[in-house]
Amino acid sequence: MLPGPTNVPDRVLEAMRRPMINHRGPEFHRLHESIVEGLRYVFQTKGDVYALTCSGTGGVEAAIFNVVDPGDKVIMPVGGVFAERMAEEVKSVGGGVIEIPVEWGRAVRVEQVKEALDSHPDAKAVALVYNETSTGVTARGLKEIGELAYKRGVLLIVDAISILGGDELKVDDWHIDICVAGSQKCLACPPGLALISVSERAWEAMKARRTRQSFYFDLLACKRFYEERRETPFTPAIPLYYALDEALKMLREEGLERRIERHRLCASALYRGFERMGLKLFAEPESRSNTVIAVEYPEGVDDTKFRSTLRDEYGVHVAGGMGKLRGRVFRVGSMGVVSKDDVVYTVEAVANTLNKLGFKVPVAEVIAEAKGVFS
Amino acid sequence: MLPGPTNVPDRVLEAMRRPMINHRGPEFHRLHESIVEGLRYVFQTKGDVYALTCSGTGGVEAAIFNVVDPGDKVIMPVGGVFAERMAEEVKSVGGGVIEIPVEWGRAVRVEQVKEALDSHPDAKAVALVYNETSTGVTARGLKEIGELAYKRGVLLIVDAISILGGDELKVDDWHIDICVAGSQKCLACPPGLALISVSERAWEAMKARRTRQSFYFDLLACKRFYEERRETPFTPAIPLYYALDEALKMLREEGLERRIERHRLCASALYRGFERMGLKLFAEPESRSNTVIAVEYPEGVDDTKFRSTLRDEYGVHVAGGMGKLRGRVFRVGSMGVVSKDDVVYTVEAVANTLNKLGFKVPVAEVIAEAKGVFS
């Protein structure tokens, strides 16, 4: 139950065993087309989509490096580790960050973005993290932010690494110009690929640029190679392409709406179970993520001891806090192929672990509470 | 018989089916240490080695972006597509390329590098491609170039993507400061990882830098994460780490010297077979690669027809020419787990294909010639 890499179904693991193929040959072209079709479905876009051989952070680097010239202003709400990382990327290419400081555990308000746009009519882009993996916060106002940015002619760049496939995200309808996701999160694929969508407006901005920041992450080259030959500019991680293709097929078999509903139910059961234990949830109620659940430790419960007991005695892996939340919270990933059984078992294991560590929890009632969500 | 991705043994494919693990947990730490040990063996270094989640070109980008500041001078012999690509990387970060033009099919002479060093005593680095995959040329003077650069206090950056594990390459003895290789070449692992070694001198240069060009490819972050926690800064492609670990184990079982000797014999059989067919080899004799064999088409033989016949009727995949050699040569990869049988079968298939296309070849004599190398 990590916030990525998540468990990978056998079908997807099995797909990786296929022999290598020439990435400049017809078999690869067909595989690539199939992946693009699957990605368009999950991103809900008719636009361009790519699978880059790198981690999600590499995908964010591609998004930023292809759009931001030195001196460009980018409006960025910052309320967690991954938003901070994205802001560093902007600064590292000489971009100016117009930061909207957001309290950790809360989401940016649409009004704040509007004010920043009013004060900085020359901004080139708004860039934000839709689902902040470090705090378990989802920016629920993304649709409205997209409309605002679109009306002002400002690009919208979204880090959706830990949420694509697990919650609402409509790239075209919401006017998202560049959207980045990771293979190892809600798609239940192994890590190693960043998935990225690019709008027409983003292509125009890229073509108009004065500089080029990266050779490896050149999205215009990705576009050229895909359109002309159904290929990638550089050798792709072929086994991961096999895996992604299979994972996207499984997602289409389930259906995106049903997958999102399953994520909602599972997250809801976790939230209710943890609350019934008397634990404090880190995210404000209206911004709670359906894919990453951050929970504050009660007084006297030690992070390392809690997570190692949970892992060694119950086989449940959860993550610790990041940045200034290290030691203060634990984070449960509720992503990918997560099921009712996984969730109820996790709630029970956390309850038992807390009891062992001296924090009294009514285990049976907690389990009933979590199960209740599914009935 | 492609110049990468090469065939991958079942043991290595099977390794990828293992379930995902937390890249921030003890199982991953052990896997990572095992990979580092294997990489040190094949790079022949006591220094630092990393497996980056990206293609070989990403590895070259990491090498250049971590060392070259705007305004830095880099001496570069350029005689093929991959050297051109490396020069573009240097230019894209504002570095000045002191180009040593090298005729395609030939290797740079040590004397030329010496002259460039004499004329540009302020150069920060020499950067070159050890094995030019586009032309089938190996820069046999690399050891001497390493000594020269070392004496002058100039860094040596080497693209060894298509040769590491298939020919002589002694990172420490030859004073190579940054060496880049690819997983999908002589190591017979799937594509998706770039392998990179870093010397003490290179670390000093990185620490003294004024700018940082990439967040994703930050080698100092790789160093910090490995030393402090045996981790990677960002989520690695776990299945490819499994595969690489297994491929490195197989390499150690065979022994590096025996693997190199096998590559030599296989390349030699291919060269002799092709010469016996009356074909012209593209590389000058003293610089012929043991891992990539580039062969000129005889008058009247069409590239597309030749390669599709070879593939569809004999199941042998070879690559076409790149850049200005497109349509002029075909390229055979002789890498990884390549064996006598693979090589003899390839020679026979090429001979039969040429006969079909009207270029007369004495098939039996050609096969005997190739087989003779192994006896």
Side-chain angles (χ1 to χ4, degrees), chain A residues 66-67 69 124 155 200-209:
Chain A
N66 278 277
V67 166
D69 267 325
K124 185 176 199 175
L155 294 174
E200 272 311 313
R201 294 205 310 163
W203 289 131
E204 283 161 31
M206 287 183 217
K207 285 174 192 158
R209 289 184 65 215

Side-chain angles (χ1 to χ4, degrees), chain B residues 328-349:
Chain B
R328 272 187 57 198
V329 303
F330 65 93
R331 295 173 303 133
V332 181
S334 172
M335 296 176 183
V337 288
V338 68
S339 68
K340 176 189 169 183
D341 288 350
D342 299 328
V343 161
V344 172
Y345 181 76
T346 299
V347 166
E348 182 175 352

